[in-house]
């Protein structure tokens, strides 16, 4: 991954360029060089957890096992936590609706599919299914 632009998106070392952070009032703050805000770490971690979650359930579809299902639950819970830490530390006003969220940045509000809610529902369903299988009912 280090040889591609995809790898650079997830690199955690200091960069030579600055980042833009939005304050709650909509003001834009430019942060100087060599500073990596918390929301970028959370975005990177949640993106990697999302990929791990997808790969786990693809493997589960190919060959079902309790280990893969349990791993998917752990990845799902971890993704939901890091996803919402990312959203609430980004600094832009966020309004959460069922299955979508609205982010107010420079200009008009933008609507996004909230993968945190989608994965939370799938994870709750998988926990319920595993508990039912383990209890035998």
């Amino acid at each position: 991954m280090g040889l591609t632009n995809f790898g650079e998106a997830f690199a955690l070392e200091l960069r030579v360029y600055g980042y833009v952070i939005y304050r709650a009032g909509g003001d834009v703050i430019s942060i100087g060089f060599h500073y990596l805000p918390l929301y970028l770490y959370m975005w990177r971690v949640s993106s990697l957890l999302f990929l791990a979650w997808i790969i786990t359930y693809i493997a589960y579809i190919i060959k079902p096992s309790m280990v893969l299902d349990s791993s998917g639950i752990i990845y799902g819970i971890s993704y939901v936590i890091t996803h919402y830490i990312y959203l609430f530390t980004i600094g832009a006003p966020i309004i959460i609706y069922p299955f979508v969220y609205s982010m107010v940045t420079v200009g008009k509000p933008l609507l996004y599919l909230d993968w945190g809610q989608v994965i939370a529902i799938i994870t709750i369903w998988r926990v319920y299914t595993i508990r039912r299988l383990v209890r035998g009912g």
Side-chain angles (χ1 to χ4, degrees):
M1 280 181 37
L3 301 175
T4 65
N5 291 336
F6 183 76
E8 286 185 19
F10 294 100
L12 297 178
E13 70 267 6
L14 299 175
R15 294 290 181 196
V16 183
Y17 48 85
Y19 298 92
V20 177
I21 296 179
Y22 297 98
R23 192 178 295 159
D27 300 331
V28 176
I29 305 169
S30 290
I31 300 300
F33 299 110
H34 303 291
Y35 176 73
L36 198 60
L38 176 65
Y39 76 88
L40 284 176
Y41 282 111
M42 290 297 108
W43 175 81
R44 290 170 178 174
V45 170
S46 67
S47 297
L48 292 173
L49 285 168
F50 180 76
L51 290 173
W53 182 81
I54 292 284
I55 291 168
T56 300
Y57 278 114
I58 289 172
Y60 179 80
I61 290 170
I62 294 170
K63 183 168 174 61
S65 79
M66 186 70 77
V67 172
L68 287 173
D69 210 7
S70 300
S71 298
I73 289 170
I74 291 169
Y75 287 139
I77 291 169
S78 301
Y79 170 78
V80 170
I81 291 169
T82 57
H83 172 72
Y84 285 111
I85 291 173
Y86 158 70
L87 283 182
F88 292 120
T89 58
I90 198 167
I94 305 280
I95 302 167
I96 297 179
Y97 301 106
F99 299 107
V100 294
Y101 65 90
S102 173
M103 182 184 304
V104 181
T105 59
V106 178
K108 63 181 182 175
L110 300 171
L111 204 60
Y112 296 98
L113 175 64
D114 191 355
W115 280 101
Q117 292 180 40
V118 172
I119 291 179
I121 289 173
I122 293 170
T123 301
I124 290 168
W125 171 64
R126 294 310 306 161
V127 167
Y128 173 75
T129 304
I130 287 176
R131 288 186 71 191
R132 197 175 70 205
L133 288 173
V134 169
R135 290 184 180 175

